[in-house]
Amino acid sequence: MCNAYEQHVKWVEYCKMMQALELGIPTQQSELDLPESDDIRINDMAPVMRATGNSVELVSMNFSFPPSGPKGGPVFNFRSEGRSFANSNRCLIPTSGFFEFTGKKYPKTKHRFTLNGQPFLAIAGIWREGQGNHPASFTMLTTSPGPDIAPYHDRQIVVLRPVDWSAWINLSKPEAELLKPLPAGSLDEETVRQGSD
């Protein structure tokens, strides 16, 4: 599943998109709230978009919830089917592209996915307040694979079209309409590294 993504969303592109969607940007926010990174991995700090008043703010959080028990691992992907998120802290994870890996031997083949026709995309997520020494954190929601992802993996993260960003943040549409794979041809794939097998 998706345990790595990149963040090369330009501040000007972010502002333009937020204005077009009428989501608003807090006046104190700047490009410093949207730092770029080639490879965001589990337990890295990264920006997420969450509701604040009448607008959406960028907040830096840890990628993955902490383990629930001594033998558990970090929760970086969270199954969406059959769950209600009405009482969850919902967020969007802005990204210029996310990665999936194929093959059995390391290094695996690395595939980069982007949203066709858009400068960047957002992944549906949920977040939790920090506890103890662990900062506020987020995880990505997953669903069954759509036709663009199925050749690479048997699950996929939920990629939301920009027109649905507000609907997820405010849960103004049924979850079943939002937390599903996109139609064929929505995601573009590029192989960025050939694997060893």
Side-chain angles (χ1 to χ4, degrees):
M1 279 303 303
C2 183
N3 60 10
Y5 67 100
E6 64 177 28
Q7 204 315 89
H8 290 297
V9 180
K10 303 295 184 191
W11 178 247
V12 64
E13 291 175 342
Y14 176 81
C15 292
K16 186 176 178 182
M17 183 76 83
M18 298 300 278
Q19 289 166 351
L21 297 173
E22 299 181 353
L23 288 175
I25 302 169
T27 54
Q28 74 275 16
Q29 300 236 271
S30 72
E31 63 273 4
L32 298 177
D33 297 294
L34 196 63
E36 294 191 36
S37 176
D38 290 336
D39 212 5
I40 297 170
R41 302 190 69 83
I42 296 166
N43 285 323
D44 287 344
M45 297 296 287
V48 300
M49 303 156 62
R50 70 177 183 187
T52 176
N54 294 325
S55 62
V56 172
E57 66 177 350
L58 288 162
V59 180
S60 183
M61 295 188 188
N62 186 81
F63 176 27
S64 75
F65 293 159
S68 57
K71 293 185 178 180
V75 179
F76 56 95
N77 289 157
F78 195 86
R79 184 180 287 263
S80 66
E81 293 97 330
R83 290 188 161 114
S84 170
F85 296 96
N87 296 318
S88 299
N89 294 320
R90 296 173 302 280
C91 65
L92 298 166
I93 302 141
T95 171
S96 47
F98 65 92
F99 304 112
E100 292 291 355
F101 301 86
T102 56
K104 295 186 168 87
K105 296 179 182 176
Y106 187 83
K108 295 182 177 182
T109 300
K110 186 176 185 180
H111 307 274
R112 178 178 181 262
F113 292 89
T114 55
L115 185 57
N116 191 348
Q118 297 294 339
F120 65 100
L121 58 92
I123 299 161
I126 54 175
W127 65 274
R128 292 178 181 167
E129 296 285 2
Q131 295 179 347
N133 293 328
H134 203 279
S137 56
F138 69 93
T139 186
M140 299 175 172
L141 298 187
T142 68
T143 187
S144 57
D148 295 334
I149 299 291
Y152 306 93
H153 208 285
D154 60 0
R155 297 284 297 163
Q156 75 159 75
I157 53 172
V158 177
V159 177
L160 295 172
R161 292 192 181 281
V163 292
D164 286 327
W165 291 1
S166 176
W168 173 243
I169 290 279
N170 300 307
L171 209 56
S172 57
K173 287 185 181 178
E175 287 146 307
E177 289 183 23
L178 298 169
L179 305 178
K180 63 182 184 180
L182 297 175
S186 299
L187 298 171
D188 291 328
E189 181 273 340
E190 175 191 9
T191 301
V192 293
R193 182 185 70 207
Q194 287 293 341
S196 57
D197 61 346

